Amino acid sequence: MRLFRHVLLSLSAATAVVLATIAPASAQPEPTQDAGSTTAFPALTVDGARVDNLRAAEDVEEYWTPERMRNAIPLTPEDTGAKRSSGTAEQPSGPPGSTPAAAPSGEIRTMIVETSVAGKVFFTKPSDGKNYVCSASALNSNSKQMAITAGHCVHEGNGGNWMNNWMYVPRYRNGDRPYGNFVAKQMRAFNGWINNGDLNWDVAMVTTWPQGSDKLVNRTGGNGLSWNYSREQDITINGYPGNKNNGEVQWYCEGRTSDSDGKLALGCDFGGGSSGGPWMRVFDQSSGLGQTNGVMSTVNSAGVNKSSYFGDSVKQMFDDQGSVT
């Protein structure tokens, strides 16, 4: 019997789709062709300027008014070419491994429904100029500044553009931002996603600007990272599906995943807006922390959600991005 729990409400799902709007556009820098390698790119404002100083980061924050955040679109599919997986999924080439999680400074939790480690992501899509929303989570690393999300929440895929105006809001709820805003400084995605929209590589990591002296993980806590584990795991998923409470409240779903064409699969019926939310092993209700072992990618007509597999390439992405400040 499948063990999964929906906290708050339920709904129906759409056809098998990427949980983002993805359309081709002119390519920004030329990435390498190896699908499992990554490319990093500096965050940009809605006007295409680099977010390379605090004033530019403040401009992004100021752009995201409560009205714009409320009206941001939970991403739904447009480009059917992005709904494929070319080639085979990565297989583990070494033993399973994990990095440590980190609790926030000075905060002790009891049993929770929402965790400060997960939140909403807001950004502007260059190819249509519209505002969209995904989910993401804080990931503990040397920098203490990193979030993890889906590849399609940072890049349009299929040779398109990097998303602009990117901002992460931990534990967003009905417009409240209890931990403030964390604007992107640098993004990193797999070239298999950037070049081909390949769902085997639908993962991204983002370095954020601190809020003064407060870094993301120090403020909210951060999950550890797991890789090379079995595709059958007891998993907790957090995110902001637009088909539940209009994406205004954090939801979670628990169950045991199965292997589906090399991806992790679990029937949570999480729709657009949940993209990029963490799939966590050994989630601890008392701390709100776990080991991120996947991120939300797609949903099908039966309400089954899927995540790319986390193998050695995801660990290499973590190593490459985790110390960037």
Side-chain angles (χ1 to χ4, degrees):
M1 180 177 177
R2 186 174 62 193
L3 297 172
F4 70 86
R5 176 173 50 180
H6 293 199
V7 177
L8 300 176
L9 281 179
S10 66
L11 108 35
S12 65
T15 57
V17 299
V18 178
L19 297 177
T21 303
I22 306 150
S26 60
Q28 294 183 59
E30 189 66 29
T32 62
Q33 298 305 306
D34 179 12
S37 63
T38 63
T39 295
F41 194 73
L44 302 177
T45 68
V46 69
D47 299 320
R50 289 194 177 193
V51 187
D52 57 4
N53 57 68
L54 289 175
R55 177 62 254 182
E58 290 169 358
D59 288 343
V60 174
E61 285 192 84
E62 290 170 4
Y63 176 87
W64 288 110
T65 62
E67 181 179 11
R68 282 176 170 152
M69 295 173 80
R70 189 168 53 251
N71 293 331
I73 303 166
L75 299 194
T76 54
E78 287 181 356
D79 178 13
T80 56
K83 299 180 221 171
R84 67 178 185 275
S85 299
S86 56
T88 58
E90 184 173 26
Q91 300 299 319
S93 59
S98 295
T99 60
S105 301
E107 182 173 351
I108 300 174
R109 299 185 182 90
T110 56
M111 297 293 284
I112 61 171
V113 172
E114 297 169 304
T115 173
S116 61
V117 172
K120 293 187 80 167
V121 171
F122 300 89
F123 54 87
T124 304
K125 187 159 154 310
S127 58
D128 64 12
K130 295 179 180 179
N131 294 327
Y132 293 92
V133 63
C134 275
S135 299
S137 59
L139 189 62
N140 186 35
S141 70
N142 289 339
S143 74
K144 306 294 184 183
Q145 295 172 225
M146 196 158 69
I148 184 169
T149 188
H152 66 251
C153 298
V154 306
H155 192 282
E156 294 175 317
N158 296 312
N161 291 314
W162 295 86
M163 304 302 187
N164 296 341
N165 234 28
W166 201 96
M167 187 176 77
Y168 173 59
V169 183
R171 216 184 76 181
Y172 173 97
R173 182 183 246 276
N174 289 317
D176 291 338
R177 313 181 207 183
Y179 295 90
N181 310 310
F182 289 85
V183 174
K185 189 173 189 179
Q186 187 185 83
M187 305 174 179
R188 184 178 294 269
F190 282 114
N191 293 316
W193 175 259
I194 293 171
N195 294 332
N196 303 314
D198 187 342
L199 293 170
N200 286 316
W201 305 102
D202 192 15
V203 184
M205 296 183 190
V206 178
T207 299
T208 61
W209 281 92
Q211 295 181 10
S213 61
D214 287 344
K215 295 182 176 182
L216 173 61
V217 171
N218 292 337
R219 178 167 287 192
T220 69
N223 288 325
L225 179 76
S226 287
W227 65 96
N228 286 345
Y229 279 83
S230 166
R231 288 168 170 83
E232 297 180 1
Q233 292 285 322
D234 291 327
I235 289 290
T236 299
I237 300 173
N238 286 90
Y240 289 81
N243 57 346
K244 304 179 190 297
N245 295 97
N246 295 317
E248 289 294 306
V249 176
Q250 187 181 129
W251 280 57
Y252 75 97
C253 174
E254 295 178 326
R256 188 163 183 86
T257 58
S258 61
D259 184 340
S260 178
D261 298 322
K263 300 178 185 66
L264 281 66
L266 185 62
C268 294
D269 196 20
F270 278 14
S274 66
S275 291
W279 290 41
M280 296 171 289
R281 296 177 52 256
V282 294
F283 180 73
D284 183 352
Q285 274 277 356
S286 64
S287 68
L289 299 172
Q291 296 287 329
T292 302
N293 194 57
V295 292
M296 184 68 77
S297 179
T298 62
V299 65
N300 67 15
S301 58
V304 176
N305 293 110
K306 295 184 182 182
S307 163
S308 304
Y309 178 71
F310 277 24
D312 291 322
S313 296
V314 170
K315 174 56 164 58
Q316 186 62 55
M317 175 186 277
F318 175 86
D319 290 343
D320 291 341
Q321 195 63 31
S323 296
V324 173
T325 59

mmCIF file of all heavy atoms in Angstrom, residues 67-117:
data_model
loop_
_atom_site.group_PDB
_atom_site.id
_atom_site.type_symbol
_atom_site.label_atom_id
_atom_site.label_comp_id
_atom_site.label_asym_id
_atom_site.label_seq_id
_atom_site.Cartn_x
_atom_site.Cartn_y
_atom_site.Cartn_z
ATOM 1 N N GLU A 67 1.782 42.434 -5.221
ATOM 2 C CA GLU A 67 0.882 42.160 -6.345
ATOM 3 C C GLU A 67 1.554 41.286 -7.386
ATOM 4 O O GLU A 67 0.950 40.325 -7.895
ATOM 5 C CB GLU A 67 0.413 43.472 -6.977
ATOM 6 C CG GLU A 67 -0.553 43.268 -8.136
ATOM 7 C CD GLU A 67 -1.020 44.571 -8.744
ATOM 8 O OE1 GLU A 67 -0.451 45.630 -8.418
ATOM 9 O OE2 GLU A 67 -1.962 44.527 -9.558
ATOM 10 N N ARG A 68 2.819 41.608 -7.734
ATOM 11 C CA ARG A 68 3.520 40.790 -8.723
ATOM 12 C C ARG A 68 3.748 39.371 -8.225
ATOM 13 O O ARG A 68 3.652 38.404 -8.993
ATOM 14 C CB ARG A 68 4.846 41.450 -9.096
ATOM 15 C CG ARG A 68 4.688 42.618 -10.056
ATOM 16 C CD ARG A 68 6.001 43.303 -10.319
ATOM 17 N NE ARG A 68 5.883 44.269 -11.409
ATOM 18 C CZ ARG A 68 6.637 45.351 -11.524
ATOM 19 N NH1 ARG A 68 7.575 45.615 -10.614
ATOM 20 N NH2 ARG A 68 6.488 46.169 -12.542
ATOM 21 N N MET A 69 4.051 39.236 -6.947
ATOM 22 C CA MET A 69 4.247 37.900 -6.392
ATOM 23 C C MET A 69 2.939 37.113 -6.419
ATOM 24 O O MET A 69 2.923 35.927 -6.766
ATOM 25 C CB MET A 69 4.791 38.006 -4.967
ATOM 26 C CG MET A 69 6.168 38.622 -4.891
ATOM 27 S SD MET A 69 6.727 38.920 -3.202
ATOM 28 C CE MET A 69 7.268 37.280 -2.747
ATOM 29 N N ARG A 70 1.868 37.767 -6.078
ATOM 30 C CA ARG A 70 0.561 37.112 -6.056
ATOM 31 C C ARG A 70 0.130 36.687 -7.449
ATOM 32 O O ARG A 70 -0.523 35.652 -7.630
ATOM 33 C CB ARG A 70 -0.472 38.061 -5.443
ATOM 34 C CG ARG A 70 -1.835 37.435 -5.167
ATOM 35 C CD ARG A 70 -2.694 38.354 -4.307
ATOM 36 N NE ARG A 70 -2.807 39.699 -4.854
ATOM 37 C CZ ARG A 70 -2.235 40.780 -4.326
ATOM 38 N NH1 ARG A 70 -1.493 40.670 -3.241
ATOM 39 N NH2 ARG A 70 -2.389 41.973 -4.882
ATOM 40 N N ASN A 71 0.498 37.462 -8.463
ATOM 41 C CA ASN A 71 0.059 37.192 -9.832
ATOM 42 C C ASN A 71 1.051 36.379 -10.655
ATOM 43 O O ASN A 71 0.784 36.071 -11.820
ATOM 44 C CB ASN A 71 -0.224 38.516 -10.552
ATOM 45 C CG ASN A 71 -1.419 39.241 -9.977
ATOM 46 O OD1 ASN A 71 -2.347 38.624 -9.453
ATOM 47 N ND2 ASN A 71 -1.412 40.565 -10.057
ATOM 48 N N ALA A 72 2.197 36.019 -10.056
ATOM 49 C CA ALA A 72 3.164 35.196 -10.783
ATOM 50 C C ALA A 72 2.534 33.858 -11.148
ATOM 51 O O ALA A 72 1.743 33.291 -10.388
ATOM 52 C CB ALA A 72 4.422 34.998 -9.941
ATOM 53 N N ILE A 73 2.867 33.349 -12.304
ATOM 54 C CA ILE A 73 2.198 32.182 -12.883
ATOM 55 C C ILE A 73 2.868 30.894 -12.406
ATOM 56 O O ILE A 73 4.073 30.716 -12.610
ATOM 57 C CB ILE A 73 2.251 32.250 -14.421
ATOM 58 C CG1 ILE A 73 1.630 33.553 -14.928
ATOM 59 C CG2 ILE A 73 1.554 31.036 -15.032
ATOM 60 C CD1 ILE A 73 1.938 33.851 -16.380
ATOM 61 N N PRO A 74 2.120 29.972 -11.782
ATOM 62 C CA PRO A 74 2.673 28.643 -11.507
ATOM 63 C C PRO A 74 2.930 27.952 -12.844
ATOM 64 O O PRO A 74 2.005 27.778 -13.642
ATOM 65 C CB PRO A 74 1.574 27.935 -10.715
ATOM 66 C CG PRO A 74 0.686 29.027 -10.217
ATOM 67 C CD PRO A 74 0.755 30.097 -11.270
ATOM 68 N N LEU A 75 4.151 27.571 -13.105
ATOM 69 C CA LEU A 75 4.531 27.239 -14.463
ATOM 70 C C LEU A 75 3.850 25.982 -14.981
ATOM 71 O O LEU A 75 3.815 24.961 -14.319
ATOM 72 C CB LEU A 75 6.036 27.098 -14.546
ATOM 73 C CG LEU A 75 6.770 28.381 -14.178
ATOM 74 C CD1 LEU A 75 8.208 28.316 -14.598
ATOM 75 C CD2 LEU A 75 6.123 29.614 -14.750
ATOM 76 N N THR A 76 3.312 26.094 -16.192
ATOM 77 C CA THR A 76 2.664 24.987 -16.888
ATOM 78 C C THR A 76 3.318 24.816 -18.253
ATOM 79 O O THR A 76 3.952 25.738 -18.763
ATOM 80 C CB THR A 76 1.169 25.276 -17.057
ATOM 81 O OG1 THR A 76 1.014 26.538 -17.687
ATOM 82 C CG2 THR A 76 0.453 25.287 -15.717
ATOM 83 N N PRO A 77 3.197 23.649 -18.881
ATOM 84 C CA PRO A 77 3.996 23.358 -20.075
ATOM 85 C C PRO A 77 3.517 24.108 -21.312
ATOM 86 O O PRO A 77 2.334 24.281 -21.523
ATOM 87 C CB PRO A 77 3.815 21.856 -20.262
ATOM 88 C CG PRO A 77 2.482 21.609 -19.694
ATOM 89 C CD PRO A 77 2.335 22.538 -18.533
ATOM 90 N N GLU A 78 4.469 24.531 -22.127
ATOM 91 C CA GLU A 78 4.154 25.093 -23.441
ATOM 92 C C GLU A 78 4.952 24.389 -24.533
ATOM 93 O O GLU A 78 4.448 24.182 -25.624
ATOM 94 C CB GLU A 78 4.472 26.587 -23.480
ATOM 95 C CG GLU A 78 3.479 27.434 -22.701
ATOM 96 C CD GLU A 78 3.813 28.910 -22.780
ATOM 97 O OE1 GLU A 78 4.846 29.263 -23.372
ATOM 98 O OE2 GLU A 78 3.050 29.711 -22.235
ATOM 99 N N ASP A 79 6.171 24.051 -24.240
ATOM 100 C CA ASP A 79 7.041 23.482 -25.261
ATOM 101 C C ASP A 79 7.123 21.971 -25.078
ATOM 102 O O ASP A 79 7.769 21.480 -24.180
ATOM 103 C CB ASP A 79 8.430 24.117 -25.143
ATOM 104 C CG ASP A 79 9.402 23.533 -26.138
ATOM 105 O OD1 ASP A 79 8.945 22.830 -27.059
ATOM 106 O OD2 ASP A 79 10.604 23.777 -26.000
ATOM 107 N N THR A 80 6.454 21.224 -25.937
ATOM 108 C CA THR A 80 6.440 19.771 -25.778
ATOM 109 C C THR A 80 7.819 19.167 -25.964
ATOM 110 O O THR A 80 8.094 18.081 -25.458
ATOM 111 C CB THR A 80 5.472 19.129 -26.778
ATOM 112 O OG1 THR A 80 5.838 19.522 -28.093
ATOM 113 C CG2 THR A 80 4.049 19.566 -26.493
ATOM 114 N N GLY A 81 8.705 19.850 -26.648
ATOM 115 C CA GLY A 81 10.062 19.345 -26.830
ATOM 116 C C GLY A 81 10.830 19.237 -25.530
ATOM 117 O O GLY A 81 11.815 18.506 -25.444
ATOM 118 N N ALA A 82 10.399 19.953 -24.512
ATOM 119 C CA ALA A 82 11.093 19.911 -23.223
ATOM 120 C C ALA A 82 10.590 18.783 -22.338
ATOM 121 O O ALA A 82 11.094 18.605 -21.249
ATOM 122 C CB ALA A 82 10.926 21.237 -22.505
ATOM 123 N N LYS A 83 9.600 18.029 -22.797
ATOM 124 C CA LYS A 83 9.021 16.983 -21.973
ATOM 125 C C LYS A 83 9.619 15.618 -22.290
ATOM 126 O O LYS A 83 8.946 14.609 -22.281
ATOM 127 C CB LYS A 83 7.520 16.912 -22.182
ATOM 128 C CG LYS A 83 6.765 18.153 -21.831
ATOM 129 C CD LYS A 83 5.304 17.917 -22.084
ATOM 130 C CE LYS A 83 4.659 19.112 -22.702
ATOM 131 N NZ LYS A 83 3.313 18.836 -23.136
ATOM 132 N N ARG A 84 10.874 15.560 -22.650
ATOM 133 C CA ARG A 84 11.461 14.291 -23.023
ATOM 134 C C ARG A 84 12.720 14.036 -22.206
ATOM 135 O O ARG A 84 13.282 14.939 -21.607
ATOM 136 C CB ARG A 84 11.813 14.291 -24.513
ATOM 137 C CG ARG A 84 12.934 15.272 -24.857
ATOM 138 C CD ARG A 84 13.287 15.189 -26.339
ATOM 139 N NE ARG A 84 14.437 16.037 -26.644
ATOM 140 C CZ ARG A 84 14.381 17.312 -26.911
ATOM 141 N NH1 ARG A 84 13.217 17.928 -26.907
ATOM 142 N NH2 ARG A 84 15.469 18.003 -27.198
ATOM 143 N N SER A 85 13.155 12.797 -22.259
ATOM 144 C CA SER A 85 14.435 12.432 -21.677
ATOM 145 C C SER A 85 15.237 11.745 -22.779
ATOM 146 O O SER A 85 14.852 10.674 -23.241
ATOM 147 C CB SER A 85 14.256 11.495 -20.489
ATOM 148 O OG SER A 85 13.509 12.115 -19.471
ATOM 149 N N SER A 86 16.278 12.386 -23.254
ATOM 150 C CA SER A 86 17.093 11.804 -24.310
ATOM 151 C C SER A 86 18.217 11.012 -23.678
ATOM 152 O O SER A 86 18.866 11.468 -22.738
ATOM 153 C CB SER A 86 17.648 12.909 -25.216
ATOM 154 O OG SER A 86 18.366 13.853 -24.465
ATOM 155 N N GLY A 87 18.448 9.798 -24.179
ATOM 156 C CA GLY A 87 19.479 8.966 -23.591
ATOM 157 C C GLY A 87 18.996 8.318 -22.305
ATOM 158 O O GLY A 87 17.808 8.351 -21.972
ATOM 159 N N THR A 88 19.902 7.724 -21.579
ATOM 160 C CA THR A 88 19.554 7.029 -20.353
ATOM 161 C C THR A 88 19.908 7.872 -19.144
ATOM 162 O O THR A 88 20.814 8.702 -19.187
ATOM 163 C CB THR A 88 20.286 5.685 -20.269
ATOM 164 O OG1 THR A 88 21.702 5.914 -20.342
ATOM 165 C CG2 THR A 88 19.871 4.772 -21.414
ATOM 166 N N ALA A 89 19.194 7.643 -18.060
ATOM 167 C CA ALA A 89 19.475 8.363 -16.829
ATOM 168 C C ALA A 89 20.818 7.916 -16.262
ATOM 169 O O ALA A 89 21.301 6.814 -16.531
ATOM 170 C CB ALA A 89 18.362 8.106 -15.816
ATOM 171 N N GLU A 90 21.402 8.779 -15.443
ATOM 172 C CA GLU A 90 22.687 8.468 -14.832
ATOM 173 C C GLU A 90 22.547 7.290 -13.874
ATOM 174 O O GLU A 90 21.553 7.151 -13.170
ATOM 175 C CB GLU A 90 23.221 9.690 -14.082
ATOM 176 C CG GLU A 90 24.603 9.472 -13.497
ATOM 177 C CD GLU A 90 25.190 10.747 -12.914
ATOM 178 O OE1 GLU A 90 24.412 11.629 -12.521
ATOM 179 O OE2 GLU A 90 26.419 10.848 -12.859
ATOM 180 N N GLN A 91 23.575 6.445 -13.848
ATOM 181 C CA GLN A 91 23.632 5.334 -12.916
ATOM 182 C C GLN A 91 24.738 5.605 -11.894
ATOM 183 O O GLN A 91 25.755 6.232 -12.219
ATOM 184 C CB GLN A 91 23.925 4.025 -13.651
ATOM 185 C CG GLN A 91 22.885 3.668 -14.703
ATOM 186 C CD GLN A 91 21.508 3.490 -14.105
ATOM 187 O OE1 GLN A 91 21.355 2.911 -13.039
ATOM 188 N NE2 GLN A 91 20.491 3.989 -14.796
ATOM 189 N N PRO A 92 24.571 5.151 -10.650
ATOM 190 C CA PRO A 92 25.611 5.390 -9.647
ATOM 191 C C PRO A 92 26.909 4.697 -10.022
ATOM 192 O O PRO A 92 26.903 3.554 -10.488
ATOM 193 C CB PRO A 92 25.010 4.809 -8.369
ATOM 194 C CG PRO A 92 23.952 3.860 -8.823
ATOM 195 C CD PRO A 92 23.426 4.414 -10.107
ATOM 196 N N SER A 93 28.015 5.392 -9.855
ATOM 197 C CA SER A 93 29.322 4.817 -10.149
ATOM 198 C C SER A 93 30.177 4.703 -8.895
ATOM 199 O O SER A 93 31.361 4.402 -8.969
ATOM 200 C CB SER A 93 30.060 5.686 -11.183
ATOM 201 O OG SER A 93 30.221 7.006 -10.710
ATOM 202 N N GLY A 94 29.570 4.924 -7.749
ATOM 203 C CA GLY A 94 30.274 4.823 -6.481
ATOM 204 C C GLY A 94 29.277 4.592 -5.374
ATOM 205 O O GLY A 94 28.070 4.464 -5.616
ATOM 206 N N PRO A 95 29.735 4.524 -4.141
ATOM 207 C CA PRO A 95 28.836 4.284 -3.016
ATOM 208 C C PRO A 95 27.939 5.491 -2.752
ATOM 209 O O PRO A 95 28.278 6.621 -3.114
ATOM 210 C CB PRO A 95 29.799 4.053 -1.846
ATOM 211 C CG PRO A 95 31.027 4.817 -2.221
ATOM 212 C CD PRO A 95 31.138 4.690 -3.706
ATOM 213 N N PRO A 96 26.777 5.287 -2.102
ATOM 214 C CA PRO A 96 25.936 6.429 -1.720
ATOM 215 C C PRO A 96 26.694 7.357 -0.781
ATOM 216 O O PRO A 96 27.553 6.930 -0.012
ATOM 217 C CB PRO A 96 24.755 5.770 -0.997
ATOM 218 C CG PRO A 96 24.750 4.359 -1.466
ATOM 219 C CD PRO A 96 26.180 4.005 -1.713
ATOM 220 N N GLY A 97 26.377 8.630 -0.858
ATOM 221 C CA GLY A 97 27.010 9.612 0.011
ATOM 222 C C GLY A 97 26.054 10.704 0.388
ATOM 223 O O GLY A 97 25.026 10.915 -0.275
ATOM 224 N N SER A 98 26.348 11.413 1.463
ATOM 225 C CA SER A 98 25.520 12.523 1.925
ATOM 226 C C SER A 98 26.396 13.597 2.539
ATOM 227 O O SER A 98 27.467 13.301 3.082
ATOM 228 C CB SER A 98 24.497 12.058 2.976
ATOM 229 O OG SER A 98 23.559 11.165 2.424
ATOM 230 N N THR A 99 25.952 14.842 2.434
ATOM 231 C CA THR A 99 26.580 15.950 3.131
ATOM 232 C C THR A 99 25.711 16.332 4.317
ATOM 233 O O THR A 99 24.514 16.036 4.331
ATOM 234 C CB THR A 99 26.755 17.164 2.203
ATOM 235 O OG1 THR A 99 25.447 17.583 1.742
ATOM 236 C CG2 THR A 99 27.628 16.821 0.998
ATOM 237 N N PRO A 100 26.250 16.992 5.334
ATOM 238 C CA PRO A 100 25.456 17.288 6.528
ATOM 239 C C PRO A 100 24.457 18.410 6.314
ATOM 240 O O PRO A 100 24.710 19.352 5.558
ATOM 241 C CB PRO A 100 26.508 17.692 7.562
ATOM 242 C CG PRO A 100 27.650 18.197 6.744
ATOM 243 C CD PRO A 100 27.662 17.378 5.494
ATOM 244 N N ALA A 101 23.324 18.302 6.985
ATOM 245 C CA ALA A 101 22.369 19.400 7.052
ATOM 246 C C ALA A 101 22.845 20.395 8.101
ATOM 247 O O ALA A 101 23.783 20.133 8.855
ATOM 248 C CB ALA A 101 20.982 18.874 7.411
ATOM 249 N N ALA A 102 22.198 21.570 8.150
ATOM 250 C CA ALA A 102 22.566 22.591 9.140
ATOM 251 C C ALA A 102 21.312 23.257 9.670
ATOM 252 O O ALA A 102 20.463 23.700 8.898
ATOM 253 C CB ALA A 102 23.487 23.641 8.524
ATOM 254 N N ALA A 103 21.198 23.325 10.985
ATOM 255 C CA ALA A 103 20.082 24.027 11.609
ATOM 256 C C ALA A 103 20.341 25.528 11.577
ATOM 257 O O ALA A 103 21.493 25.962 11.538
ATOM 258 C CB ALA A 103 19.904 23.563 13.056
ATOM 259 N N PRO A 104 19.282 26.337 11.573
ATOM 260 C CA PRO A 104 19.483 27.781 11.631
ATOM 261 C C PRO A 104 20.055 28.192 12.973
ATOM 262 O O PRO A 104 19.942 27.457 13.963
ATOM 263 C CB PRO A 104 18.074 28.344 11.431
ATOM 264 C CG PRO A 104 17.172 27.259 11.911
ATOM 265 C CD PRO A 104 17.866 25.972 11.557
ATOM 266 N N SER A 105 20.648 29.346 13.016
ATOM 267 C CA SER A 105 21.233 29.835 14.261
ATOM 268 C C SER A 105 20.137 30.254 15.236
ATOM 269 O O SER A 105 19.264 31.038 14.895
ATOM 270 C CB SER A 105 22.143 31.029 13.971
ATOM 271 O OG SER A 105 23.170 30.656 13.078
ATOM 272 N N GLY A 106 20.151 29.691 16.458
ATOM 273 C CA GLY A 106 19.299 30.170 17.539
ATOM 274 C C GLY A 106 17.844 29.809 17.458
ATOM 275 O O GLY A 106 17.018 30.419 18.125
ATOM 276 N N GLU A 107 17.472 28.786 16.654
ATOM 277 C CA GLU A 107 16.056 28.444 16.554
ATOM 278 C C GLU A 107 15.851 26.964 16.843
ATOM 279 O O GLU A 107 16.547 26.118 16.301
ATOM 280 C CB GLU A 107 15.514 28.758 15.155
ATOM 281 C CG GLU A 107 14.027 28.455 15.016
ATOM 282 C CD GLU A 107 13.457 28.933 13.684
ATOM 283 O OE1 GLU A 107 14.178 29.641 12.966
ATOM 284 O OE2 GLU A 107 12.310 28.583 13.388
ATOM 285 N N ILE A 108 14.901 26.649 17.706
ATOM 286 C CA ILE A 108 14.558 25.271 18.027
ATOM 287 C C ILE A 108 13.103 25.054 17.651
ATOM 288 O O ILE A 108 12.234 25.851 18.000
ATOM 289 C CB ILE A 108 14.766 24.984 19.526
ATOM 290 C CG1 ILE A 108 16.231 25.209 19.903
ATOM 291 C CG2 ILE A 108 14.333 23.562 19.866
ATOM 292 C CD1 ILE A 108 16.492 25.096 21.389
ATOM 293 N N ARG A 109 12.832 23.980 16.893
ATOM 294 C CA ARG A 109 11.478 23.724 16.413
ATOM 295 C C ARG A 109 10.857 22.537 17.144
ATOM 296 O O ARG A 109 11.554 21.674 17.658
ATOM 297 C CB ARG A 109 11.494 23.420 14.919
ATOM 298 C CG ARG A 109 12.012 24.533 14.040
ATOM 299 C CD ARG A 109 11.849 24.112 12.595
ATOM 300 N NE ARG A 109 12.365 25.105 11.681
ATOM 301 C CZ ARG A 109 13.607 25.136 11.254
ATOM 302 N NH1 ARG A 109 14.471 24.257 11.680
ATOM 303 N NH2 ARG A 109 14.001 26.058 10.404
ATOM 304 N N THR A 110 9.533 22.485 17.117
ATOM 305 C CA THR A 110 8.802 21.288 17.494
ATOM 306 C C THR A 110 8.247 20.682 16.209
ATOM 307 O O THR A 110 8.701 21.020 15.120
ATOM 308 C CB THR A 110 7.678 21.633 18.469
ATOM 309 O OG1 THR A 110 6.830 22.628 17.874
ATOM 310 C CG2 THR A 110 8.243 22.180 19.763
ATOM 311 N N MET A 111 7.238 19.818 16.295
ATOM 312 C CA MET A 111 6.661 19.220 15.096
ATOM 313 C C MET A 111 6.140 20.315 14.165
ATOM 314 O O MET A 111 5.556 21.295 14.612
ATOM 315 C CB MET A 111 5.513 18.292 15.482
ATOM 316 C CG MET A 111 5.960 17.113 16.328
ATOM 317 S SD MET A 111 7.007 15.935 15.450
ATOM 318 C CE MET A 111 5.785 15.104 14.460
ATOM 319 N N ILE A 112 6.356 20.126 12.858
ATOM 320 C CA ILE A 112 6.044 21.199 11.916
ATOM 321 C C ILE A 112 5.172 20.707 10.768
ATOM 322 O O ILE A 112 5.120 19.523 10.466
ATOM 323 C CB ILE A 112 7.326 21.809 11.325
ATOM 324 C CG1 ILE A 112 8.113 20.732 10.566
ATOM 325 C CG2 ILE A 112 8.183 22.442 12.391
ATOM 326 C CD1 ILE A 112 9.260 21.266 9.776
ATOM 327 N N VAL A 113 4.481 21.622 10.164
ATOM 328 C CA VAL A 113 3.811 21.394 8.892
ATOM 329 C C VAL A 113 4.598 22.073 7.785
ATOM 330 O O VAL A 113 4.761 21.552 6.700
ATOM 331 C CB VAL A 113 2.363 21.916 8.927
ATOM 332 C CG1 VAL A 113 1.733 21.853 7.546
ATOM 333 C CG2 VAL A 113 1.531 21.110 9.913
ATOM 334 N N GLU A 114 5.104 23.254 8.051
ATOM 335 C CA GLU A 114 5.928 23.977 7.096
ATOM 336 C C GLU A 114 7.361 24.042 7.619
ATOM 337 O O GLU A 114 7.586 24.099 8.819
ATOM 338 C CB GLU A 114 5.400 25.395 6.906
ATOM 339 C CG GLU A 114 4.000 25.428 6.328
ATOM 340 C CD GLU A 114 3.403 26.825 6.413
ATOM 341 O OE1 GLU A 114 3.348 27.361 7.529
ATOM 342 O OE2 GLU A 114 3.003 27.356 5.370
ATOM 343 N N THR A 115 8.316 24.047 6.711
ATOM 344 C CA THR A 115 9.714 24.158 7.095
ATOM 345 C C THR A 115 10.324 25.405 6.486
ATOM 346 O O THR A 115 10.026 25.758 5.338
ATOM 347 C CB THR A 115 10.526 22.918 6.659
ATOM 348 O OG1 THR A 115 11.913 23.153 6.913
ATOM 349 C CG2 THR A 115 10.339 22.605 5.180
ATOM 350 N N SER A 116 11.169 26.077 7.234
ATOM 351 C CA SER A 116 11.839 27.278 6.734
ATOM 352 C C SER A 116 12.871 26.950 5.672
ATOM 353 O O SER A 116 13.353 27.834 4.965
ATOM 354 C CB SER A 116 12.516 28.015 7.894
ATOM 355 O OG SER A 116 13.497 27.202 8.510
ATOM 356 N N VAL A 117 13.219 25.671 5.530
ATOM 357 C CA VAL A 117 14.216 25.273 4.537
ATOM 358 C C VAL A 117 13.655 25.330 3.114
ATOM 359 O O VAL A 117 14.402 25.450 2.157
ATOM 360 C CB VAL A 117 14.755 23.867 4.870
ATOM 361 C CG1 VAL A 117 15.642 23.325 3.766
ATOM 362 C CG2 VAL A 117 15.529 23.907 6.180
#
